Amino acid sequence: EAGVVQSPRYKIIEKKQPVAFWCNPISGHNTLYWYRQNLGQGPELLIRYENEEAVDDSQLPKDRFSAERLKGVDSTLKIQPAELGDSAVYLCASSSEGRGADYGYTFGSGTRLTVV
Amino acid sequence: QKEVEQNSGPLSVPEGAIASLNCTYSDRGSQSFFWYRQYSGKSPELIMFIYSNGDKEDGRFTAQLNKASQYVSLLIRDSQPSDSATYLCAVNIVYGNKLVFGAGTILRVKS
């Protein structure tokens, strides 16, 4: 079984430029999470999807961040425009519906974003 | 008060010793507790989970939970240099069906 797939693995952009990250969850997993991990910190939830519905986006900076999960499978997270403080690792995770917080979930390899 | 707190370390132990990693949490309603291991430049990997008070053993790893004290710990017996990593404690937040992570404890096992 393939794990959670993310791309790109690394991204370097200039501030004020747009950037997008892609995530394909484990097959059959209805719940998808986007986390951001700053250096020396634990991952922090940005948004959680149940199928195609964003059910928790309270921590997503909506002025510059957006996400979508069309058809309830893969997902894209976008930042426009990027700021220096957005430099971090963006992690995607997935779980069976409603089970993530009960049984833990699997992370993808992450996208390391550097804004210069 | 942070929802999940860990000592950032680094915790240094000699090879073969027992490493003890600790975590406290604030949500008394939490039911599920997890330990993730994260090597430098890699994503977190789930290594243990525990739901009930007491101990849970898996190989060289033992997770301990005390809900009354809101305390979770991870013991690593016979520590190896390959155990050197950051260990993240994660707790489910009942109202949000999501895991909240601590900042992690850096473990260094010296040969």
Side-chain angles (χ1 to χ4, degrees):
Chain A
E1 176 184 78
V4 177
V5 180
Q6 290 188 248
S7 68
R9 189 75 174 86
Y10 303 94
K11 191 73 176 179
I12 301 174
I13 61 170
E14 294 183 345
K15 61 181 180 181
K16 301 184 181 180
Q17 294 301 307
V19 64
F21 316 123
W22 177 80
C23 172
N24 187 265
I26 293 172
S27 178
H29 280 192
N30 297 320
T31 308
L32 184 146
Y33 309 81
W34 282 103
Y35 278 77
R36 177 172 61 187
Q37 186 174 23
N38 292 309
L39 187 65
Q41 299 297 315
E44 295 179 322
L45 182 69
L46 291 174
I47 189 168
R48 173 170 68 94
Y49 280 95
E50 297 288 348
N51 298 302
E52 64 273 13
E53 181 182 1
V55 295
D56 183 356
D57 63 356
S58 57
Q59 300 303 311
L60 190 72
K62 298 181 182 63
D63 57 335
R64 298 183 299 107
F65 286 64
S66 64
E68 60 182 13
R69 192 185 183 197
L70 302 176
K71 300 182 181 179
V73 181
D74 54 351
S75 176
T76 303
L77 178 68
K78 299 178 181 178
I79 308 175
Q80 182 171 11
E83 297 179 352
L84 296 177
D86 297 330
S87 295
V89 176
Y90 291 82
L91 295 162
C92 180
S94 70
S95 68
S96 299
E97 183 177 0
R99 308 297 290 275
D102 294 332
Y103 300 106
Y105 35 73
T106 303
F107 285 98
S109 57
T111 296
R112 182 176 297 275
L113 173 67
T114 302
V115 182
V116 298
Chain B
Q1 181 186 9
K2 292 184 178 180
E3 292 173 292
V4 180
E5 296 206 50
Q6 297 181 254
N7 187 320
S8 62
L11 173 66
S12 293
V13 299
E15 184 176 357
I18 296 175
S20 177
L21 305 161
N22 305 314
C23 169
T24 58
Y25 60 95
S26 61
D27 183 359
R28 286 193 170 274
S30 296
Q31 298 293 322
S32 306
F33 307 87
F34 305 86
W35 284 98
Y36 282 78
R37 177 177 62 198
Q38 186 172 28
Y39 291 114
S40 181
K42 302 295 185 182
S43 61
E45 171 194 13
L46 180 63
I47 57 171
M48 288 285 290
F49 59 88
I50 186 167
Y51 307 133
S52 304
N53 278 327
D55 296 357
K56 178 182 178 182
E57 187 174 319
D58 183 0
R60 295 187 297 111
F61 298 96
T62 298
Q64 300 176 317
L65 174 61
N66 184 326
K67 290 185 179 180
S69 299
Q70 295 174 248
Y71 181 92
V72 192
S73 65
L74 178 70
L75 301 178
I76 306 175
R77 292 182 299 281
D78 187 24
S79 296
Q80 301 297 310
S82 59
D83 295 325
S84 297
T86 297
Y87 289 80
L88 298 164
C89 174
V91 176
N92 83 329
I93 299 299
V94 177
Y95 61 80
N97 187 26
K98 62 185 179 183
L99 296 186
V100 176
F101 287 80
T105 298
I106 299 171
L107 173 66
R108 294 177 180 161
V109 181
K110 298 184 176 181
S111 57

